[in-house]
Amino acid sequence: MSIDTEKHHALLSALKAAQGKGDGSFEQAVTDAFEHVFEHLGHLNSHVSLGGPDGDDRHLKPGESPTLR
């Protein structure tokens, strides 16, 4: 199993284990899960964004409408 898959299982297990406890552990588990999701989104954005990892818009191609990027 990959390290990332193991991380996903650990995050899900923490969420399930913390449900209903009322001690703040569920909130922490949700925060940890969202942090991991945002890491993934950052990696995806840097791979697919032609503007680069900073999210800048790419320059328009000649004749390209700014609404059809």
Side-chain angles (χ1 to χ4, degrees):
M1 195 178 310
S2 77
I3 292 172
D4 202 48
T5 302
E6 291 173 10
K7 176 74 173 180
H8 294 171
H9 284 287
L11 289 167
L12 286 171
S13 294
L15 283 166
K16 289 177 184 177
Q19 282 181 325
K21 285 193 173 178
D23 61 359
S25 59
F26 183 75
E27 289 81 0
Q28 185 59 54
V30 169
T31 300
D32 293 344
F34 271 104
E35 286 175 352
H36 189 70
V37 167
F38 289 131
E39 287 175 22
H40 276 290
L41 292 174
H43 291 295
L44 286 171
N45 189 45
S46 68
H47 282 84
V48 300
S49 175
L50 295 175
D54 296 329
D56 299 329
D57 288 338
R58 64 172 172 78
H59 295 288
L60 293 174
K61 295 177 183 175
E64 182 180 24
S65 166
T67 59
L68 298 177
R69 287 182 201 232

